[in-house]
Amino acid sequence: MGSGKKEQEKNSQKYFYKMELKTKVGLLQLKIHKNKDLNIKKAVNKIRYAAKKGAKIVCTSELFLFEYFCKTENHSNFKYAEKIPGAITNLFCKLTKELNIILIISLFEKKIAGQYYNTCIIINDKGKIISKYRKMHIPDDPGYYEKFYFTPGDLGFKNTKTRYGEIGTLICWDQWFPEAARLTALKGSEIIFFPTAIGWHPKEKKKYGKTQLDSWITIQKSHAIANGIFVVAVNRVGYEKKGNRKIEFWGHSLVIDPNGKIIAKLKSKEEGVLVCDIDFKKVDSARQHWPFLRDRRIDAYKSLIRNSKND
Amino acid sequence: MGSGKKEQEKNSQKYFYKMELKTKVGLLQLKIHKNKDLNIKKAVNKIRYAAKKGAKIVCTSELFLFEYFCKTENHSNFKYAEKIPGAITNLFCKLTKELNIILIISLFEKKIAGQYYNTCIIINDKGKIISKYRKMHIPDDPGYYEKFYFTPGDLGFKNTKTRYGEIGTLICWDQWFPEAARLTALKGSEIIFFPTAIGWHPKEKKKYGKTQLDSWITIQKSHAIANGIFVVAVNRVGYEKKGNRKIEFWGHSLVIDPNGKIIAKLKSKEEGVLVCDIDFKKVDSARQHWPFLRDRRIDAYKSLIRNSKND
């Protein structure tokens, strides 16, 4: 039969696809130092470690190359921005090819003079950049002056097919917007990664710290539940100070399954690499048992593209 | 000055508005009986009790006049549907006028032959029906055969101004859709009431019960957080059986503040009336400190009115 080889290929693809319904993710929860080269070196080491532990998709925290410079508004910080592709991405592309993993890294991107983005990219196991996402929702809060630095994302919401799953990427503040998770899920993602940089103002921690952290965990669980999707948040740890601005980054990197259960997490002060098994069959199962995507009223959601009271 | 009286009126209105930034809500978590008259009598008594305790906005659970008939698909159940306005609403309109309260009740509505809705209405303190909301998201799950009975709501999402606050109403399954809470908040609501009928299948309870309840609580907290809004869910309690279908309604009626904190709740087996203070200043404060409504990307949400992967 002439089609024997084709059929064999088809079958092996099927088997291949089946095999990849399970994967392992790796989360890098690190303290970030003033020295960029040290941050790179540390990240590379930890990525190697995660790969050794079997992680196939590894993700850094937000803007992991620098102390969180948005604590103040300072024009000299623009010099930290990178071109994509550029020297930094070349380095990590080489690494993923060597380790045979997918890597999600978060960078301060210079697009052109005067347009800077809070960007994350996905590099595949062949060392190729296969996705770029620019943070869509930009915060501006005392100590988080991101609207000064970043143009709001202009690439929309993203899903990226990889051999280890369909991956969505969102960044930090996006976490608080159900729209972002929903749109990413609707594009086909079965797991969303959130590189993150969030912490306590030391002055507020005693009074509001617990509520703030609880809210942060709750909102991410809710995306998992509402969309029947895995949610991964990767935060930094450590105490950073610039002038009067101090932030204690609260760690708590975590993996949530499509039923809203935390299946792996780190603590608030712990540097570490978290490697966690992902079984994508749970996405199908969650969405069959909680069929919310079936029942959306797309005929009645028009006003979601308005601000308020406009209809 | 000719404008003296007008000015006085303006000032008194201002004062009046200020006064009403605080209110009290009352939640009726009851076991529902086979006998409709008994359910009415009990509800009336409990509404009187809530009003006596100072509640100004009282809310029943979903379809509180009947055992949850959607456990099975049975044409004879259509006879339970009411006209709105009708005998039942007349009775409750009289009551709110007497007690000087706002009342939210959930009814099985017959609009015309062949069109039935899962509806909730708001009756003001003058005994007038001031809002009608028809459940927009209709579930269909073993034991919750609502698609058999109810046409999906045709009135859109609702906000209703009352002297005790701007009130949104959604119903049970709507709880799982961030779109519903968002649209209601964007219309101006500062508190959302969810009449609810949700419970465990006794066979599943041991294995999945805790996760199911946790998900239900989490998703409601998330609406409060994402929208800076009070969330009130009113569920029934008790074990109901029809043929092979058994449901243990899980109670847990609760009030969540705009920071996502549960500020009052009942237990899973406890009939009761929960009366809880509401301070609407918390809405402003939550939205100033967590300014998510400021940062929505309405230019990039178009695909929310699609199902998936269509752009």
Side-chain angles (χ1 to χ4, degrees), chain A residues 122-138:
Chain A
I122 305 179
I123 307 171
N124 75 4
D125 51 331
K126 308 287 180 220
K128 198 180 155 196
I129 298 173
I130 53 170
S131 173
K132 185 191 276 184
Y133 168 77
R134 293 182 173 135
K135 189 171 180 174
M136 291 290 282
H137 301 94
I138 307 295

PDB file of all heavy atoms in Angstrom, chain A residues 122-138:
ATOM      1  N   ILE A 122       8.230  34.172  23.832  1.00  0.00           N
ATOM      2  CA  ILE A 122       8.373  32.722  23.970  1.00  0.00           C
ATOM      3  C   ILE A 122       9.427  32.266  22.964  1.00  0.00           C
ATOM      4  O   ILE A 122       9.346  32.594  21.778  1.00  0.00           O
ATOM      5  CB  ILE A 122       7.047  31.988  23.697  1.00  0.00           C
ATOM      6  CG1 ILE A 122       5.931  32.535  24.609  1.00  0.00           C
ATOM      7  CG2 ILE A 122       7.208  30.478  23.883  1.00  0.00           C
ATOM      8  CD1 ILE A 122       4.573  31.873  24.384  1.00  0.00           C
ATOM      9  N   ILE A 123      10.409  31.526  23.465  1.00  0.00           N
ATOM     10  CA  ILE A 123      11.448  30.951  22.603  1.00  0.00           C
ATOM     11  C   ILE A 123      11.234  29.440  22.588  1.00  0.00           C
ATOM     12  O   ILE A 123      11.066  28.827  23.647  1.00  0.00           O
ATOM     13  CB  ILE A 123      12.854  31.252  23.158  1.00  0.00           C
ATOM     14  CG1 ILE A 123      13.027  32.761  23.409  1.00  0.00           C
ATOM     15  CG2 ILE A 123      13.939  30.738  22.209  1.00  0.00           C
ATOM     16  CD1 ILE A 123      14.308  33.120  24.165  1.00  0.00           C
ATOM     17  N   ASN A 124      11.199  28.863  21.395  1.00  0.00           N
ATOM     18  CA  ASN A 124      10.939  27.412  21.370  1.00  0.00           C
ATOM     19  C   ASN A 124      12.225  26.602  21.528  1.00  0.00           C
ATOM     20  O   ASN A 124      13.321  27.156  21.678  1.00  0.00           O
ATOM     21  CB  ASN A 124      10.124  27.005  20.126  1.00  0.00           C
ATOM     22  CG  ASN A 124      10.961  27.004  18.855  1.00  0.00           C
ATOM     23  OD1 ASN A 124      12.174  27.243  18.897  1.00  0.00           O
ATOM     24  ND2 ASN A 124      10.309  26.739  17.735  1.00  0.00           N
ATOM     25  N   ASP A 125      12.064  25.284  21.501  1.00  0.00           N
ATOM     26  CA  ASP A 125      13.184  24.383  21.772  1.00  0.00           C
ATOM     27  C   ASP A 125      14.181  24.321  20.614  1.00  0.00           C
ATOM     28  O   ASP A 125      15.186  23.625  20.704  1.00  0.00           O
ATOM     29  CB  ASP A 125      12.652  22.983  22.129  1.00  0.00           C
ATOM     30  CG  ASP A 125      11.654  22.473  21.104  1.00  0.00           C
ATOM     31  OD1 ASP A 125      10.951  23.290  20.457  1.00  0.00           O
ATOM     32  OD2 ASP A 125      11.573  21.253  20.916  1.00  0.00           O
ATOM     33  N   LYS A 126      13.858  25.028  19.516  1.00  0.00           N
ATOM     34  CA  LYS A 126      14.826  25.130  18.421  1.00  0.00           C
ATOM     35  C   LYS A 126      15.605  26.443  18.505  1.00  0.00           C
ATOM     36  O   LYS A 126      16.337  26.803  17.581  1.00  0.00           O
ATOM     37  CB  LYS A 126      14.112  25.073  17.057  1.00  0.00           C
ATOM     38  CG  LYS A 126      13.174  23.901  16.884  1.00  0.00           C
ATOM     39  CD  LYS A 126      13.928  22.596  16.697  1.00  0.00           C
ATOM     40  CE  LYS A 126      12.968  21.430  16.520  1.00  0.00           C
ATOM     41  NZ  LYS A 126      13.426  20.225  17.248  1.00  0.00           N
ATOM     42  N   GLY A 127      15.357  27.220  19.569  1.00  0.00           N
ATOM     43  CA  GLY A 127      16.058  28.491  19.714  1.00  0.00           C
ATOM     44  C   GLY A 127      15.447  29.638  18.922  1.00  0.00           C
ATOM     45  O   GLY A 127      16.092  30.648  18.661  1.00  0.00           O
ATOM     46  N   LYS A 128      14.176  29.494  18.574  1.00  0.00           N
ATOM     47  CA  LYS A 128      13.503  30.500  17.756  1.00  0.00           C
ATOM     48  C   LYS A 128      12.470  31.258  18.592  1.00  0.00           C
ATOM     49  O   LYS A 128      11.705  30.645  19.349  1.00  0.00           O
ATOM     50  CB  LYS A 128      12.807  29.767  16.590  1.00  0.00           C
ATOM     51  CG  LYS A 128      12.443  30.670  15.440  1.00  0.00           C
ATOM     52  CD  LYS A 128      11.767  29.889  14.320  1.00  0.00           C
ATOM     53  CE  LYS A 128      10.901  30.829  13.508  1.00  0.00           C
ATOM     54  NZ  LYS A 128       9.941  30.154  12.669  1.00  0.00           N
ATOM     55  N   ILE A 129      12.442  32.583  18.439  1.00  0.00           N
ATOM     56  CA  ILE A 129      11.394  33.368  19.100  1.00  0.00           C
ATOM     57  C   ILE A 129      10.091  33.127  18.344  1.00  0.00           C
ATOM     58  O   ILE A 129       9.983  33.464  17.165  1.00  0.00           O
ATOM     59  CB  ILE A 129      11.728  34.879  19.088  1.00  0.00           C
ATOM     60  CG1 ILE A 129      13.026  35.140  19.857  1.00  0.00           C
ATOM     61  CG2 ILE A 129      10.585  35.696  19.679  1.00  0.00           C
ATOM     62  CD1 ILE A 129      13.548  36.568  19.764  1.00  0.00           C
ATOM     63  N   ILE A 130       9.104  32.539  19.017  1.00  0.00           N
ATOM     64  CA  ILE A 130       7.869  32.180  18.308  1.00  0.00           C
ATOM     65  C   ILE A 130       6.684  33.036  18.744  1.00  0.00           C
ATOM     66  O   ILE A 130       5.595  32.918  18.192  1.00  0.00           O
ATOM     67  CB  ILE A 130       7.521  30.674  18.472  1.00  0.00           C
ATOM     68  CG1 ILE A 130       7.499  30.280  19.964  1.00  0.00           C
ATOM     69  CG2 ILE A 130       8.499  29.806  17.701  1.00  0.00           C
ATOM     70  CD1 ILE A 130       6.928  28.899  20.220  1.00  0.00           C
ATOM     71  N   SER A 131       6.876  33.896  19.737  1.00  0.00           N
ATOM     72  CA  SER A 131       5.774  34.771  20.141  1.00  0.00           C
ATOM     73  C   SER A 131       6.308  35.990  20.869  1.00  0.00           C
ATOM     74  O   SER A 131       7.311  35.918  21.593  1.00  0.00           O
ATOM     75  CB  SER A 131       4.811  34.010  21.059  1.00  0.00           C
ATOM     76  OG  SER A 131       3.843  34.887  21.587  1.00  0.00           O
ATOM     77  N   LYS A 132       5.658  37.098  20.635  1.00  0.00           N
ATOM     78  CA  LYS A 132       5.959  38.309  21.403  1.00  0.00           C
ATOM     79  C   LYS A 132       4.645  38.871  21.906  1.00  0.00           C
ATOM     80  O   LYS A 132       3.690  39.038  21.145  1.00  0.00           O
ATOM     81  CB  LYS A 132       6.649  39.326  20.499  1.00  0.00           C
ATOM     82  CG  LYS A 132       7.120  40.573  21.231  1.00  0.00           C
ATOM     83  CD  LYS A 132       7.544  41.663  20.272  1.00  0.00           C
ATOM     84  CE  LYS A 132       8.993  41.479  19.815  1.00  0.00           C
ATOM     85  NZ  LYS A 132       9.428  42.601  18.945  1.00  0.00           N
ATOM     86  N   TYR A 133       4.575  39.122  23.193  1.00  0.00           N
ATOM     87  CA  TYR A 133       3.384  39.728  23.793  1.00  0.00           C
ATOM     88  C   TYR A 133       3.802  40.996  24.514  1.00  0.00           C
ATOM     89  O   TYR A 133       4.787  40.997  25.267  1.00  0.00           O
ATOM     90  CB  TYR A 133       2.721  38.757  24.793  1.00  0.00           C
ATOM     91  CG  TYR A 133       1.665  39.455  25.627  1.00  0.00           C
ATOM     92  CD1 TYR A 133       0.408  39.743  25.090  1.00  0.00           C
ATOM     93  CD2 TYR A 133       1.929  39.862  26.936  1.00  0.00           C
ATOM     94  CE1 TYR A 133      -0.550  40.421  25.840  1.00  0.00           C
ATOM     95  CE2 TYR A 133       0.978  40.543  27.682  1.00  0.00           C
ATOM     96  CZ  TYR A 133      -0.258  40.811  27.127  1.00  0.00           C
ATOM     97  OH  TYR A 133      -1.204  41.498  27.867  1.00  0.00           O
ATOM     98  N   ARG A 134       3.095  42.081  24.261  1.00  0.00           N
ATOM     99  CA  ARG A 134       3.392  43.335  24.949  1.00  0.00           C
ATOM    100  C   ARG A 134       2.270  43.635  25.942  1.00  0.00           C
ATOM    101  O   ARG A 134       1.101  43.712  25.556  1.00  0.00           O
ATOM    102  CB  ARG A 134       3.521  44.471  23.930  1.00  0.00           C
ATOM    103  CG  ARG A 134       4.740  44.303  23.034  1.00  0.00           C
ATOM    104  CD  ARG A 134       4.871  45.475  22.072  1.00  0.00           C
ATOM    105  NE  ARG A 134       6.127  45.381  21.336  1.00  0.00           N
ATOM    106  CZ  ARG A 134       6.238  45.579  20.019  1.00  0.00           C
ATOM    107  NH1 ARG A 134       5.170  45.878  19.302  1.00  0.00           N
ATOM    108  NH2 ARG A 134       7.414  45.485  19.432  1.00  0.00           N
ATOM    109  N   LYS A 135       2.657  43.805  27.185  1.00  0.00           N
ATOM    110  CA  LYS A 135       1.703  44.005  28.294  1.00  0.00           C
ATOM    111  C   LYS A 135       0.602  44.998  27.895  1.00  0.00           C
ATOM    112  O   LYS A 135       0.890  46.135  27.532  1.00  0.00           O
ATOM    113  CB  LYS A 135       2.486  44.526  29.502  1.00  0.00           C
ATOM    114  CG  LYS A 135       1.710  44.596  30.811  1.00  0.00           C
ATOM    115  CD  LYS A 135       2.709  44.920  31.937  1.00  0.00           C
ATOM    116  CE  LYS A 135       2.091  45.028  33.310  1.00  0.00           C
ATOM    117  NZ  LYS A 135       3.131  45.200  34.358  1.00  0.00           N
ATOM    118  N   MET A 136      -0.627  44.528  27.983  1.00  0.00           N
ATOM    119  CA  MET A 136      -1.754  45.322  27.492  1.00  0.00           C
ATOM    120  C   MET A 136      -2.250  46.313  28.544  1.00  0.00           C
ATOM    121  O   MET A 136      -2.675  47.410  28.210  1.00  0.00           O
ATOM    122  CB  MET A 136      -2.887  44.387  27.077  1.00  0.00           C
ATOM    123  CG  MET A 136      -2.580  43.558  25.830  1.00  0.00           C
ATOM    124  SD  MET A 136      -2.530  44.565  24.314  1.00  0.00           S
ATOM    125  CE  MET A 136      -4.289  44.795  23.988  1.00  0.00           C
ATOM    126  N   HIS A 137      -2.277  45.890  29.803  1.00  0.00           N
ATOM    127  CA  HIS A 137      -2.783  46.757  30.877  1.00  0.00           C
ATOM    128  C   HIS A 137      -1.591  47.282  31.672  1.00  0.00           C
ATOM    129  O   HIS A 137      -0.830  46.499  32.240  1.00  0.00           O
ATOM    130  CB  HIS A 137      -3.721  45.980  31.788  1.00  0.00           C
ATOM    131  CG  HIS A 137      -4.902  45.397  31.071  1.00  0.00           C
ATOM    132  ND1 HIS A 137      -4.893  44.112  30.579  1.00  0.00           N
ATOM    133  CD2 HIS A 137      -6.112  45.926  30.739  1.00  0.00           C
ATOM    134  CE1 HIS A 137      -6.060  43.877  29.985  1.00  0.00           C
ATOM    135  NE2 HIS A 137      -6.821  44.949  30.068  1.00  0.00           N
ATOM    136  N   ILE A 138      -1.459  48.589  31.705  1.00  0.00           N
ATOM    137  CA  ILE A 138      -0.289  49.204  32.340  1.00  0.00           C
ATOM    138  C   ILE A 138      -0.720  49.906  33.636  1.00  0.00           C
ATOM    139  O   ILE A 138      -1.580  50.792  33.604  1.00  0.00           O
ATOM    140  CB  ILE A 138       0.365  50.230  31.385  1.00  0.00           C
ATOM    141  CG1 ILE A 138       0.671  49.591  30.020  1.00  0.00           C
ATOM    142  CG2 ILE A 138       1.630  50.805  32.018  1.00  0.00           C
ATOM    143  CD1 ILE A 138       1.707  48.489  30.035  1.00  0.00           C
TER     144      ILE A 138
END
